[in-house]
Every structure is written in C-alpha cells, then in structure tokens.
Amino acid sequence: MTTVRLEIEYDGSGFRGWAAQPGLRTVQGELEAALATVLREPVQLTVAGRTDAGVHALGQVASFVSEAEVPDDLTRRLNGVGPDDIAVIGARAVEDDFDARRSARSRSYLYRVLVRPAPSPFEQGRALWWPHRIDPEVLHECAAALPGTHDFTAFTPTQTDHVRFERDVLAAGWTTEGDILAFRITADAFMRNMVRVLVGTMLEVGNGRRTLDNFTQLLAGAPRSAAGDTAPPHGLYLEKVSY
Amino acid sequence: MTTVRLEIEYDGSGFRGWAAQPGLRTVQGELEAALATVLREPVQLTVAGRTDAGVHALGQVASFVSEAEVPDDLTRRLNGVGPDDIAVIGARAVEDDFDARRSARSRSYLYRVLVRPAPSPFEQGRALWWPHRIDPEVLHECAAALPGTHDFTAFTPTQTDHVRFERDVLAAGWTTEGDILAFRITADAFMRNMVRVLVGTMLEVGNGRRTLDNFTQLLAGAPRSAAGDTAPPHGLYLEKVSY
C-alpha cells in the first residue's frame, strides 16, 4: 500500500468541473481513467479543492492509495495516456496519513481580469474581459479588508451544504500584470463560489456602482442577495495548496 | 478615400495562415469579411508580415483604402462581427501614402519554448514543449551572433521566391520568463521560415548536438541542408512592427 500525492494543472474549459459524474467529462474522471490504465487497478482520488465547471488549476493536489507498485516514471506515463488539457506536474509517495483534502492547511486562488477595450484571442476562456471603467486603487482597498476571520454568507449560494460560514483569510490582494488585473486570495478553506462572488462584488466597487463601505459591511454575515454578481468561472484558477 | 491602419492580434491555431486562399480559413479572409460587413464595401488588406499556418500575432499591422465613411467605433464593430480568435486592438485613419508592408521599417518576432518535464494545458499550441536538456547560456551566445547583416540562405527553404538572402538583424536575445524561454528578434525583414529555422538550429546548439562555431558559420550563406530543423509554427508570434 502506497499513498501517492499528485500535483496537477488543468484548463477547465473542457470539463464539467473536478468531481466525477456519470456520463460527463470531469477532471477526476479523466485522471482516474489514466491512473487505472497505468497502474492496472482502479483508484479513487481525494482532492484539495473541488473546482466547478470551467474553473482552472495551476497547483491542484490530489492523493490516492494504491495496492499496486507505483512506477518511478508515473508523471511521464500519466501525461502520456491522459488528455492534453490535464498535466500531471509531480507525483511522489508520501506518508500514509497524507490526505490531499484533510491535510491541506490553506488554498490559494487567482482570478484574472483582462482590462482593455478589445477582447483578446489569447485570454479567451482564461480571463474575464472587462472593457468597462475600473479603479485599481479601490480594488486594493477592498482586498485590504479581507484578511482575518469573516462570515462569508453573502458570498456563497443561499441553497448550500455548508454548515459554518466563517473562513480565515490569510492574504488577499490585487496586482497589475500588463492588461491583466489579478486577484489572489489565500484562506484556510473556501465556500462554493466564494472567490467568484467576491470578485463580482469588488468589480462593482471598482466600477463605482457600489461603495467600499457597503463591501466591507458584507463581510459580517449579510445575506447573499446583498452581494454582487458571481463572476464567471473562466477567470478563476486554483493556484496553490499548502500543507 | 481614407487610408486606415489596423493593429491586430490573432491566435493562429485555427487559421491556414494570413493570406486569403479560396475555401480555406485565413486571417485575411476573416478580417476582409468583417470589414465588408461593417463598411458595406469590399476592401483589400495589405499586411506587414504574412504569417504561416499556426503562427500567432500580437502586433500585426494591416492597412486598406476605403471609399466609404470609416466609423469612429470601427475597432469595436469589427470585434463585434469578427471571430473570437482575431482581435482588432486599434484602427485609425493615417496618411494616404501609408502602406502596412512597404512603410514598415522593421518587424519583431517572438518564439516561446516551454522548458519543463511535463507538458502544459495552458501552453498547448502557444509554445514549443521542450522536455530535453537545454543550456540557456549557449542560447545567449547564439543570439549574440545574430545582430548585423548576414546571409540567411541556410535559414529558409531551398525552393524560394526570395531573390536577396541578406537581412539586417537589429536585435536578438533570449530571456527566461518562468518555465518559458523566449527568443525575440528584430530585423528589417524576414524570409520564409527564418525565425523557425533559427530557433530549431539554436535549440540543437543549446542541447549539445551542434557547436556554437557551427551555428555562427551558417550565417555566411551556408546551404539550407547545413542548418537544423524548422521549429513548429505554434511557438511563433509576430510581436511588433515599427514604422
């Protein structure tokens, strides 16, 4: 028995999200099929961050327990049999008690916004195109309000399986990279749609349609209806998981 | 009569190159169709750099002469009717004697190489994947030999329409951007496949299969057979045209 930790990148455009669902193309489904081919046994993956349809990953982590001998060149063989929109960038044996989800201390997400009048062929499906007015200073002020423990009820759907709505935000900030405004946030854990609703709401502040005060007040457990739109999935990336 | 200058980006993956060809999807064909829709007259585009199938552009320039009134929001309207893999990032009236091809003083190309063991879902079709040994120092030495006037016969197909094989290279260099090795070269003009054969040959030097001396000797008019492979089109971008 070997516990194996995989580090994974994927372009979420062609997937109905991470979680395996019968008859749908999912990252978990494709990866488990590739693993079954290489290891000649069925395996079940545990993942650090379940991503929704269209959401990308640059540093997703998954783990599994294998009865089979795990080959040294597992990374290369998985990339050989798997699809082009998933890449395994690392695979290694870890301690028996490692679990990609439960062992994770924090997750970091990135949301990319393309700010320019024209769309971009290269950012199609990889950044939200925002040809509207935006004040980066105001975005910085929004992000500065995020670190700490807050009740994020306003930032997740009303119909929910979550039982606890507080999350610890360890870091959050916007940076400018050419035409791209990039939002990064690290927290112990995230609720469904949390980063996307945060971004959608901050863009309303940056656009002048909502005040900074209103935004910060939402962090005290306001209802979902008080926050802004859910930004589309194609700008979002699970960037890193820390253990 | 108005002469209009367009600045254009495109992802070359879905095109059989720039030049219009009956029955094939080309950048010129798609753009001329969009212009005909917006201007309600047929126009013919002149381009700074004719790119081959699969080659991208970040700063392509094209021009045309219009009999029609050119609307102020031409950029926005062209992006509205054109396909997603082409973006017009600027359109403006210029002096009558402007010609995107003849007026250009120099062109700059970029070639992107992804150097890491695993492929990348995000660089698929946008960078050459190079999981092999590479010495960036040797690549720097190759690039340092390029500025000046050289006979690039070795770096273009033997069957050719070119009559003059000397080109003036104004600048050339490799930079490292994360996992990407990026080669940039500016010259008065380029022959067919010139950047791709230069890159293919430099990669052989960087990999240890060819000496730096051999590479520099090719710049004195050696035959095509003496140079290396033609690197694939999907790593190449027309980055800038100067006037």
Side-chain angles (χ1 to χ4, degrees), chain B residues 178-235:
Chain B
D179 287 337
I180 297 285
L181 275 173
F183 175 65
R184 287 186 167 83
I185 182 168
T186 300
D188 59 341
F190 289 85
M191 290 188 290
R192 188 105 198 256
N193 287 7
M194 182 171 145
V195 182
R196 292 165 55 192
V197 185
L198 279 169
V199 168
T201 309
M202 284 189 282
L203 290 174
E204 293 182 5
V205 183
N207 188 240
R209 282 182 286 144
R210 180 187 293 267
T211 66
L212 177 64
D213 274 357
N214 174 281
F215 176 74
T216 57
Q217 283 159 19
L218 297 173
L219 300 170
R224 173 68 186 88
S225 58
D229 288 340
T230 306
H234 65 264

Side-chain angles (χ1 to χ4, degrees), chain A residues 41-227:
Chain A
E41 64 165 356
V43 301
Q44 197 171 354
L45 288 168
T46 298
V47 76
R50 284 163 69 108
T51 50
D52 285 328
V55 175
H56 314 294
L58 294 167
Q60 178 68 281
V61 177
S63 60
F64 64 93
V65 177
S66 174
E67 310 276 346
E69 189 86 8
V70 175
D72 286 340
D73 59 349
L74 180 60
T75 300
R76 193 182 59 74
R77 289 172 67 178
L78 286 174
N79 289 326
V81 302
D84 286 346
D85 45 3
I86 303 177
V88 177
I89 52 181
R92 58 188 170 87
V94 287
E95 288 173 23
D96 283 352
D97 63 351
F98 180 84
D99 176 286
R101 187 173 69 80
R102 288 199 314 271
S103 307
R105 284 190 301 108
S106 67
R107 285 93 175 153
S108 300
Y109 280 88
L110 159 69
Y111 197 100
R112 302 175 70 245
V113 181
L114 174 70
V115 181
R116 67 175 202 179
S120 161
F122 298 102
E123 295 296 348
Q124 194 74 22
R126 299 187 182 181
L128 169 64
W129 176 40
W130 187 264
H132 317 294
R133 186 165 85 84
I134 195 83
D135 180 347
E137 277 310 309
V138 172
L139 295 179
H140 293 313
E141 290 171 6
C142 288
L146 291 173
T149 305
H150 304 286
D151 181 329
F152 288 97
T153 302
F155 299 95
T156 199
T158 306
Q159 302 289 334
T160 180
D161 293 333
H162 299 296
V163 290
R164 196 178 60 85
F165 295 87
E166 293 199 332
R167 294 292 183 275
D168 293 336
V169 175
L170 305 171
W174 288 87
T175 53
T176 303
E177 300 163 7
D179 288 335
I180 297 285
L181 274 173
F183 174 65
R184 286 184 168 83
I185 181 168
T186 300
D188 59 341
F190 289 85
M191 288 188 291
R192 187 105 196 257
N193 288 6
M194 183 172 144
V195 182
R196 292 166 54 192
V197 185
L198 278 169
V199 168
T201 310
M202 284 189 282
L203 290 174
E204 292 180 6
V205 183
N207 188 239
R209 280 182 287 144
R210 180 189 292 268
T211 65
L212 177 64
D213 274 356
N214 174 281
F215 175 75
T216 57
Q217 284 159 18
L218 297 173
L219 300 170
R224 173 66 187 89
S225 58

Side-chain angles (χ1 to χ4, degrees), chain A residues 9-12 56-58 75 79 84-89 116-124 126 179 237, chain B residues 9-12 56-58 75 79 84-89 116-124 126 179 237:
Chain A
E9 283 183 9
Y10 47 86
D11 177 339
H56 314 294
L58 294 167
T75 300
N79 289 326
D84 286 346
D85 45 3
I86 303 177
V88 177
I89 52 181
R116 67 175 202 179
S120 161
F122 298 102
E123 295 296 348
Q124 194 74 22
R126 299 187 182 181
D179 288 335
Y237 299 71
Chain B
E9 284 184 7
Y10 46 87
D11 177 339
H56 314 293
L58 295 167
T75 300
N79 288 326
D84 286 345
D85 46 1
I86 302 178
V88 177
I89 53 180
R116 67 176 200 178
S120 162
F122 299 101
E123 295 296 348
Q124 194 74 21
R126 300 187 181 181
D179 287 337
Y237 299 72

Side-chain angles (χ1 to χ4, degrees), chain B:
Chain B
M1 299 254 290
T2 312
T3 301
V4 178
R5 172 193 157 137
L6 300 178
E7 193 164 338
I8 308 152
E9 284 184 7
Y10 46 87
D11 177 339
S13 312
F15 297 104
R16 299 292 289 270
W18 168 269
Q21 299 175 69
L24 298 181
R25 188 169 187 266
T26 68
V27 184
Q28 182 182 15
E30 293 289 327
L31 260 178
E32 288 180 352
L35 282 161
T37 301
V38 172
L39 300 176
R40 296 165 191 251
E41 65 167 354
V43 301
Q44 197 172 354
L45 288 168
T46 299
V47 75
R50 285 163 70 107
T51 49
D52 286 327
V55 174
H56 314 293
L58 295 167
Q60 178 70 280
V61 178
S63 61
F64 64 93
V65 177
S66 173
E67 310 276 345
E69 189 88 5
V70 175
D72 286 341
D73 59 349
L74 181 60
T75 300
R76 194 182 57 77
R77 290 172 66 178
L78 287 174
N79 288 326
V81 302
D84 286 345
D85 46 1
I86 302 178
V88 177
I89 53 180
R92 58 186 170 87
V94 288
E95 287 174 23
D96 284 352
D97 62 352
F98 180 85
D99 177 288
R101 186 174 68 80
R102 289 198 314 270
S103 306
R105 284 189 300 108
S106 66
R107 285 94 176 154
S108 299
Y109 281 89
L110 160 68
Y111 197 99
R112 302 175 71 245
V113 181
L114 174 70
V115 181
R116 67 176 200 178
S120 162
F122 299 101
E123 295 296 348
Q124 194 74 21
R126 300 187 181 181
L128 169 65
W129 177 39
W130 187 264
H132 317 294
R133 187 165 84 83
I134 196 83
D135 180 347
E137 277 310 308
V138 171
L139 295 179
H140 292 313
E141 290 171 5
C142 287
L146 290 173
T149 305
H150 304 286
D151 181 329
F152 287 96
T153 302
F155 299 95
T156 200
T158 308
Q159 302 289 335
T160 180
D161 293 332
H162 299 295
V163 291
R164 196 178 60 86
F165 296 87
E166 293 198 334
R167 294 292 183 274
D168 293 336
V169 175
L170 305 172
W174 288 87
T175 53
T176 303
E177 300 163 8
D179 287 337
I180 297 285
L181 275 173
F183 175 65
R184 287 186 167 83
I185 182 168
T186 300
D188 59 341
F190 289 85
M191 290 188 290
R192 188 105 198 256
N193 287 7
M194 182 171 145
V195 182
R196 292 165 55 192
V197 185
L198 279 169
V199 168
T201 309
M202 284 189 282
L203 290 174
E204 293 182 5
V205 183
N207 188 240
R209 282 182 286 144
R210 180 187 293 267
T211 66
L212 177 64
D213 274 357
N214 174 281
F215 176 74
T216 57
Q217 283 159 19
L218 297 173
L219 300 170
R224 173 68 186 88
S225 58
D229 288 340
T230 306
H234 65 264
L236 185 61
Y237 299 72
L238 174 55
E239 193 171 36
K240 194 180 171 203
V241 185
S242 295
Y243 291 90

